[in-house]
Amino acid sequence: MPEQQGAGVVDLVNDLIGRAVAARASDMHFEPGDEAVRVRFRVDGLLHDVERLPPAIGPNIVARLKVLGGLLTYRTDVPQEGAIARSRSGFPCDIRVATFPTVRGERVVLRLMAHAHEFLGLPDLGHDAQLQQRLEHALALPQGLLLVCGPAGSGKTTTLYALLDHVLKTRPGVSILAVEDPVEIGLDGITQVQIEPARGLTYPVALRSLLRQDPQVLMIGEIRDAETAQIVVEAGLTGHLLLTTMHSGAPAEAIVRLREMGIPAYQLTSTLHGVLAQRLLRTVCAACPLGAAKSGCPQCLGTGFTGRTAIGQFVEMTPALRQAILDGADVARLAAPELCPGSLRADADRLLQSARTTVEEVQQVLGA
């Protein structure tokens, strides 16, 4: 009987992961409760309930996921993180596993990773053609800092990979190194390093060593602290093209945050070339009329939307913006249209005019 139960859990986990892949989910949640284990998929940025399983099999599901992820099955009192490699699991993608103890049992979240053949190129992100051309111009520069900002889930990492892909295709022979936490997509032609703080391999440690590896283009997954910011700026000043991200809502906010991290204004104005603020909007499902969404179109899970596209505001360093930074201008002053032209809302209008998204979706992402 135990063997049959074990086989049943194995099949159940395999089936749920297969369903998540088919639904284009980025994450799977296994959330324990008193009456059920709730299984939810994150699709196009939103969570959807897909199953309610008996609470009695919750520990068996967690144990199975721990085995797949190489985690300690007997430790239920501490958070754990692991990975399920596509090459040995038979699943169609690599999967990150994260467990967390709660009063009702262990909660597990799986992150389904994309792959090189699935990721989007720069023309596929959905940005306006003129904005894309300005990004391409920035990527042709020999040095400087290009920053992508936005909240979690706004597609910053996807954009970084698209930018790297463009550099690979347009600048043959360039030495490209990437420091990430974690590495989400393996790209041929790029040296990729995964941060592992438990072993002492932090962003600052990795960057200091990688600068001696003769890089020309550096991609840093995220600026998280003042030390990383300083190294990034110094690298930009010494002849490297830097691509990185920051959790910040708008270009003006990103500039001020870098300044608050201790970056002198004169270094910031000499290094920073441009800041791309980005968000993702769900696009209307082509398989069903939006008004018929409640009927439950299988392609859009009854939401009326399938997939997401990017909107952006790209602000480049100009003499006026440079002087404002040197003068110590605050966020309100830097955000003025003459210094930071354009807006995310103006770019969203482009999608509204072509009926690719809805007013409600824009309001949900950008606010009323």
Side-chain angles (χ1 to χ4, degrees), residues 79-211:
Q80 297 188 64
E81 295 184 12
I84 305 172
R86 176 189 192 184
S87 58
R88 60 181 175 80
S89 68
F91 296 130
C93 61
D94 293 330
I95 301 172
R96 278 165 40 200
V97 183
T99 69
F100 201 91
T102 78
V103 294
R104 294 179 176 82
E106 289 184 277
R107 185 180 194 271
V108 185
V109 173
L110 307 185
R111 166 60 61 89
L112 280 60
M113 313 298 281
H115 287 275
H117 68 278
E118 299 168 343
F119 87 103
L120 302 177
L122 192 54
D124 305 316
L125 297 177
H127 282 303
D128 177 74
Q130 186 179 22
L131 187 151
Q132 180 183 323
Q133 291 175 358
R134 293 165 63 201
L135 288 173
E136 292 173 352
H137 172 73
L139 295 173
L141 298 174
Q143 67 182 62
L145 173 61
L146 183 60
L147 183 64
V148 182
C149 70
S154 59
K156 298 186 298 295
T157 300
T158 299
T159 296
L160 280 189
Y161 280 118
L163 297 175
L164 284 181
D165 177 65
H166 181 81
V167 173
L168 276 173
K169 292 176 178 177
T170 58
R171 299 176 62 177
V174 170
S175 174
I176 306 175
L177 279 71
V179 187
E180 307 167 66
D181 181 21
V183 173
E184 295 194 17
I185 300 175
L187 291 179
D188 290 336
I190 297 176
T191 298
Q192 294 174 279
V193 178
Q194 181 158 305
I195 294 303
E196 295 187 34
R199 296 197 296 115
L201 187 60
T202 61
Y203 274 117
V205 170
L207 286 173
R208 286 196 180 93
S209 296
L210 286 177
L211 288 175

Side-chain angles (χ1 to χ4, degrees), residues 3 12 24 29 46 66 72 78 94 107 223 252 289 322:
E3 291 184 0
L12 175 61
R24 303 173 294 103
H29 290 212
L46 297 181
K66 284 183 173 180
L72 302 176
V78 295
D94 293 330
R107 185 180 194 271
I223 294 179
R322 181 176 291 108

Side-chain angles (χ1 to χ4, degrees), residues 42 58 85 99 177 205 209 213-214 218 222 236-237 259 283 289 294 297 319 336 342 348:
R42 184 176 296 281
T99 69
L177 279 71
V205 170
S209 296
Q213 293 291 317
D214 189 31
L218 272 169
E222 182 184 351
L237 290 169
R259 200 169 59 195
T283 52
K294 293 181 180 180
C297 168

Side-chain angles (χ1 to χ4, degrees), residues 9 16 35 183 229 231 296 307 332:
V9 169
L16 288 171
E35 298 181 357
V183 173
I231 297 173

